[in-house]
Amino acid sequence: MRKSKFTIEQIFQILAESELPGNTVASVCRKYSISSAMFYKWKQKYKGMNQSEAKKLKALEEENALLKKIIAEKEMETAILREIAKKNS
């Protein structure tokens, strides 16, 4: 999983800044060099959350990615051992 260049705190700051009077989504996106698609993706993902909940979500996503990687490696090792056993039989 690609690491974001923005922390959770920065993402919440960007989302909050867009809601200030006089700011538009386009101007905030230009200021922080992000696409409007990324902005709306963040808005959808983090709506209704506070920062601590968002941090927990991110930690769980990272742990899930690590566990998936470990499972894939174990399955690969198992497949290699099966091939070796087949050749030796």
Side-chain angles (χ1 to χ4, degrees):
M1 189 162 79
R2 185 168 171 238
K3 186 169 172 84
S4 175
K5 68 178 185 176
F6 296 101
T7 63
I8 296 294
E9 292 85 9
Q10 291 170 326
I11 291 171
F12 273 87
Q13 178 186 358
I14 292 168
L15 293 174
E17 188 174 324
S18 72
E19 295 178 7
L20 293 175
N23 283 346
T24 63
V25 171
S27 66
V28 172
C29 290
R30 269 193 309 274
K31 180 179 176 182
Y32 293 101
S33 300
I34 59 172
S35 68
S36 59
M38 178 58 70
F39 175 85
Y40 287 113
K41 184 178 176 182
W42 286 343
K43 191 171 182 176
Q44 179 67 31
K45 184 174 182 178
Y46 297 118
K47 75 176 176 188
M49 284 189 193
N50 59 33
Q51 287 186 14
S52 64
E53 291 171 337
K55 285 181 182 179
K56 288 177 187 175
L57 174 66
K58 187 167 185 142
L60 288 172
E61 287 173 344
E62 289 171 354
E63 182 181 0
N64 191 29
L66 177 64
L67 292 173
K68 285 182 179 183
K69 182 180 174 184
I70 290 170
I71 289 172
E73 289 173 352
K74 288 294 179 186
E75 288 179 358
M76 189 183 304
E77 288 174 6
T78 304
I80 290 170
L81 290 173
R82 285 186 184 142
E83 286 294 319
I84 292 171
K86 243 187 225 183
K87 287 180 183 179
N88 291 336
S89 295

